[in-house]
Amino acid sequence: MNAAYKSKHIAFVLAVALVGLFLCAGAARSATLNDYADRLSRSIALVEQIRAAYADENSLVRSEQVAGGLSPVRQYLPAQETVTVNGQPVKVDNSWLEADIRDFEKSTKADDRRDALARISERLQAIHEHVLDLQKGTRVASDKDADKGRLAEILRRPEYNVHPQPQSSALESLIDGFFRWLSRLFPKPKPIQPGSSRFVGNIVQLAIIALCVAGIGLLIWRYGPRLISGRRKKKKRREARIVLGERLEPDQTAADLLVQAENLARQGNLRAAIRKGYIALLCELGDRKIISLAHYKTNRDYLNAVRDKGSLYPSMRKLTSIFELHWYGFAPAGEAEWNEFRDSYRKVFRE
């Protein structure tokens, strides 16, 4: 009797567990927008935590903090799921995330892992911002600094704010070294007192120093322009650059990238065409010395760099919004969206 009761009790518990499992599976298949935004936020926080660990030079601390890896992110954001937006089911494709996580896991170099984490973080943040826009009932992209307050401190990475110290030229170093040698050669003169025994010696020292300075001035006047013109002729060969994860060859220009974007648009791949056009925009601004290109910078970093550039900022903000919406967001790209992006691109450089 007791054994039968236990069997029935176990069967009842299993039935309840199976019902709960099916309910969870149903919820996972059709998640709310708020739930999706919460899982995005958790994933971003985890990725940034691991990025901070790779910034720590202590390998023991790093191994403890990244022991779990990015496995929880896979659970938060499955490759395929359905999100309910304004009562309508929307299919979400997060398969790119699995590919980037595999790149991170199979990499053996810390620099490669940092790059993979930067790509994942950038895309997750862009998607999260558009989800916040959808929650507010609009798709208009704008600054979300207030919405990202809890991530602001994490995103202010100290290595992003390091500026190289200016180096002096070879001629300046030579002159500076000569004056240091000259100051050591002669003792520091005491105040000259007329009639003292050191008066003549001090006058001779000053005369020698004056002759040396005059000689240096003559050399600079005679050979300085030739040295400067020679340095100008030896331009440093431009190296390959990485912009938003794409490698640009040394001789590749913004015009080349725009031609590639036009070819992608004619082939019907308008989403990739918008991305290629946005990279062409960044390349052109970099060549014009308006922004500085770096492999670790995101599209938001480049946008913030032109915040004080007058009319350029709103135009670039519009192009950045189109890029994020169609590359990271939910909206598909059509011919009208590509024409809007191309016209806005041309308007930037006409102004």
Side-chain angles (χ1 to χ4, degrees), residues 29 66 202:
R29 287 194 297 271
V66 302
N202 289 334

Side-chain angles (χ1 to χ4, degrees), residues 259-305:
V259 170
Q260 295 177 13
E262 294 282 3
N263 292 334
L264 289 170
R266 283 194 290 270
Q267 296 168 10
N269 194 352
L270 299 174
R271 183 167 171 265
I274 290 176
R275 178 178 183 272
K276 186 73 70 172
Y278 187 76
I279 294 176
L281 169 72
L282 299 179
C283 182
E284 181 68 28
L285 293 176
D287 290 342
R288 297 190 182 197
K289 308 302 182 183
I290 298 175
I291 61 175
S292 61
L293 303 176
H295 71 279
Y296 57 79
K297 289 186 178 181
T298 67
N299 48 291
R300 286 290 168 169
D301 292 327
Y302 293 123
L303 179 60
N304 290 332

Side-chain angles (χ1 to χ4, degrees), residues 93-346:
D93 184 3
N94 290 324
S95 56
W96 63 267
L97 180 60
E98 177 61 27
D100 284 352
I101 291 177
R102 284 199 300 268
D103 289 342
F104 169 80
E105 292 175 341
K106 70 182 181 181
S107 299
T108 57
K109 297 181 179 179
D111 289 341
D112 293 340
R113 289 199 160 196
R114 290 191 192 98
D115 291 342
L117 290 171
R119 292 196 304 271
I120 294 172
S121 177
E122 176 192 346
R123 294 188 180 185
L124 291 178
Q125 289 171 36
I127 295 173
H128 186 249
E129 289 183 8
H130 286 291
V131 169
L132 294 178
D133 285 339
L134 291 174
Q135 287 178 314
K136 295 177 181 178
T138 176
R139 289 174 181 265
V140 179
S142 61
D143 294 331
K144 299 300 177 180
D145 296 336
D147 295 326
K148 297 190 298 179
R150 56 184 174 178
L151 295 177
E153 293 301 324
I154 298 176
L155 296 179
R156 292 193 190 100
R157 297 185 58 77
E159 60 268 25
Y160 293 174
N161 299 316
V162 175
H163 300 284
Q165 296 295 328
Q167 296 181 354
S168 58
S169 65
L171 182 60
E172 291 173 347
S173 300
L174 180 62
I175 294 173
D176 186 57
F178 175 80
F179 277 111
R180 287 199 302 270
W181 170 80
L182 196 61
S183 64
R184 291 194 300 267
L185 186 62
F186 299 103
K188 186 176 181 181
K190 296 181 180 180
I192 300 175
Q193 300 292 335
S196 66
S197 59
R198 296 181 54 84
F199 181 76
V200 176
N202 289 334
I203 291 296
V204 172
Q205 286 184 359
L206 291 176
I208 293 174
I209 293 174
L211 288 174
C212 291
V213 171
I216 292 173
L218 180 63
L219 290 174
I220 293 175
W221 175 78
R222 181 68 178 83
Y223 299 105
R226 185 180 301 177
L227 292 175
I228 294 174
S229 61
R231 286 176 59 84
R232 287 177 179 173
K233 292 179 181 178
K234 296 179 181 179
K235 291 185 177 180
K236 186 177 180 181
R237 185 178 181 273
R238 188 166 64 178
E239 298 179 351
R241 297 163 292 176
I242 298 178
V243 180
L244 298 185
E246 179 162 339
R247 178 184 173 87
L248 305 182
E249 297 302 325
D251 57 347
Q252 199 167 15
T253 64
D256 299 332
L257 294 170
L258 200 58
V259 170
Q260 295 177 13
E262 294 282 3
N263 292 334
L264 289 170
R266 283 194 290 270
Q267 296 168 10
N269 194 352
L270 299 174
R271 183 167 171 265
I274 290 176
R275 178 178 183 272
K276 186 73 70 172
Y278 187 76
I279 294 176
L281 169 72
L282 299 179
C283 182
E284 181 68 28
L285 293 176
D287 290 342
R288 297 190 182 197
K289 308 302 182 183
I290 298 175
I291 61 175
S292 61
L293 303 176
H295 71 279
Y296 57 79
K297 289 186 178 181
T298 67
N299 48 291
R300 286 290 168 169
D301 292 327
Y302 293 123
L303 179 60
N304 290 332
V306 300
R307 188 178 292 273
D308 59 347
K309 300 299 182 182
S311 61
L312 175 60
Y313 177 71
S315 300
M316 186 169 175
R317 183 172 62 183
K318 179 179 179 181
L319 289 166
T320 301
S321 175
I322 296 173
F323 163 70
E324 291 180 347
L325 183 64
H326 297 293
W327 185 252
Y328 297 139
F330 297 104
E335 186 175 353
E337 287 75 16
W338 164 246
N339 290 334
E340 180 186 8
F341 180 90
R342 183 176 54 190
D343 294 342
S344 299
Y345 179 98
R346 292 171 177 170

Side-chain angles (χ1 to χ4, degrees), residues 24-37:
C24 292
R29 287 194 297 271
S30 182
T32 64
L33 193 60
N34 291 338
D35 172 63
Y36 186 61

